[in-house]
Amino acid sequence: MANNFINAVASNIGTTEVVIYTAPTNTKAILIGCNLANKTGSFLPVSLILRKSTGDAYIVKDKRVGNGENEEVMKGNKIILLPGDQLVSISVDDNAFDAIASILSGVA
């Protein structure tokens, strides 16, 4: 299985959860970084969630990001994503955030 660097992109994250990335069947991945950009004119909270078959775990919960600013939520940390794991994001305002998750896919 080949390793692939990818950028998983999600636009217009708002009041409905948005799946940024789902680890494919039979494939592990490493979340290297995740940037959340506030597109609004307001100071808003945003959450990034690791959704596993056993339940959800917040990577960051209700992180307040200024209008027109971005937040790099990983800050040098890495998270292993097992097959079927998802990265999910949600905020309190419609179309408020864009997300870019840097991922190394196909890890043995």
Side-chain angles (χ1 to χ4, degrees), residues 2 14 22-24 27 32 36 38 43 45 57 59-62 68 73 82 98:
T22 302
T27 302
I32 299 167
L36 300 168
N38 183 343
F43 204 81
I59 297 170
V60 63
K61 183 175 184 344
D62 295 332
V73 298
L82 299 177
D98 285 347

Side-chain angles (χ1 to χ4, degrees), residues 3 15 23 36-37 51 55-56 64 71 97 106:
N3 293 340
T15 57
L36 300 168
R51 176 155 294 148
D56 292 353
R64 297 187 61 77
E71 179 70 22
F97 285 85

Side-chain angles (χ1 to χ4, degrees), residues 23-65:
T25 305
N26 300 322
T27 302
K28 296 176 191 169
I30 300 172
L31 175 61
I32 299 167
C34 187
N35 188 75
L36 300 168
N38 183 343
K39 304 188 309 179
T40 73
S42 302
F43 204 81
L44 295 175
V46 64
S47 295
L48 183 64
I49 302 161
L50 174 59
R51 176 155 294 148
K52 301 179 76 53
S53 61
T54 56
D56 292 353
Y58 283 94
I59 297 170
V60 63
K61 183 175 184 344
D62 295 332
K63 173 67 178 172
R64 297 187 61 77
V65 181

